[in-house]
Amino acid sequence: MATIRRKCFISYHHADQEAVNQFVRDFDHDSDCFIARGLGEEMTDDIIDSMNTDYVMSQIRKRFLSNSTVTIVLLGRCTWSRRYVDWEIQSSLRQGKGTTPNGLLGVKLPSYPSKGGTFPKRFNDNLKSEGQIDCYARHMPYPSSTQALINAIEAAYDRRTTHAHLIVNPRDRMGYNRQCK
């Protein structure tokens, strides 16, 4: 049986561009594990040239998120501090009439600290916390195999309908980037 290649929006901090490019080359271009959607060197050259944040987010939703089913947040050392990552996660989790949220999967890049790392707040809100039986999002270390990533993407895809009631997305968008040390 052939594997279905899901369209995955890739959210990341541009400081991790080299690792992101390698991830996309390894798992999209070389392994056909998923179809990458998003902005970046290994994806589209389509630039949204505007300082209007509402316009930028509407264009990201229209051009990239609306045509994807899973959002992969590539987690580096400072990904947690980036406002666009927060906005992309917020848009990915949006629900409404005729709107199914994207599945949400975090993948730790090699730059993610082995101890003391921080997830983006909105991503963390959708992970299991004390007292919860289940949650919406999942995370994994950098994939050891194509099959491990395919399985994680499929699980995130399925959770769009089976676990949407567990989405936590009430907070306002992050206004400014945080300082990452």
Side-chain angles (χ1 to χ4, degrees):
M1 182 177 181
T3 301
I4 296 172
R5 290 178 65 209
R6 303 288 180 200
K7 291 182 181 175
C8 297
F9 180 79
I10 308 297
S11 181
Y12 64 97
H13 176 18
H14 287 281
D16 297 311
Q17 189 69 62
E18 188 174 313
V20 170
N21 291 347
Q22 190 64 53
F23 178 84
V24 171
R25 279 192 302 272
D26 288 347
F27 296 106
D28 177 10
H29 301 338
D30 295 345
S31 300
D32 286 338
C33 180
F34 62 87
I35 300 167
R37 304 285 299 141
L39 300 165
E41 295 171 11
E42 291 292 325
M43 292 170 278
T44 181
D45 289 336
D46 203 5
I47 301 299
I48 302 168
D49 189 19
S50 176
M51 296 301 288
N52 180 323
T53 55
D54 288 329
Y55 174 76
V56 170
M57 285 315 300
S58 74
Q59 291 302 300
I60 288 173
R61 275 193 304 275
K62 180 178 164 184
R63 295 185 198 180
F64 306 107
L65 283 169
S66 68
N67 194 21
S68 65
T69 55
V70 173
T71 295
I72 298 176
V73 182
L74 294 178
L75 302 162
R77 189 175 69 80
C78 293
T79 306
W80 66 270
S81 68
R82 309 316 291 178
R83 65 182 177 166
Y84 277 103
V85 170
D86 176 66
W87 299 355
E88 291 162 356
I89 294 170
Q90 181 188 44
S91 291
S92 295
L93 295 174
R94 186 173 279 184
Q95 301 180 81
K97 186 176 179 175
T99 303
T100 303
N102 275 18
L104 190 57
L105 174 64
V107 174
K108 293 178 183 176
L109 293 172
S111 66
Y112 191 82
S114 59
K115 293 186 182 192
T118 303
F119 290 148
K121 183 101 173 88
R122 194 176 307 273
F123 181 81
N124 200 54
D125 288 346
N126 286 280
L127 293 172
K128 188 162 60 169
S129 60
E130 191 173 325
Q132 279 185 293
I133 295 170
D134 209 350
C135 61
Y136 186 72
R138 291 287 193 259
H139 65 89
M140 65 184 293
Y142 197 84
S144 58
S145 70
T146 300
Q147 194 59 52
L149 183 57
I150 288 170
N151 293 345
I153 290 170
E154 281 303 304
Y157 177 85
D158 290 343
R159 295 177 89 72
R160 301 164 58 233
T161 54
T162 61
H163 289 70
H165 64 283
L166 296 173
I167 290 175
V168 178
N169 200 22
R171 112 181 43 264
D172 289 337
R173 286 190 301 217
M174 182 187 284
Y176 300 96
N177 291 328
R178 306 289 191 262
Q179 184 174 3
C180 179
K181 298 174 184 171

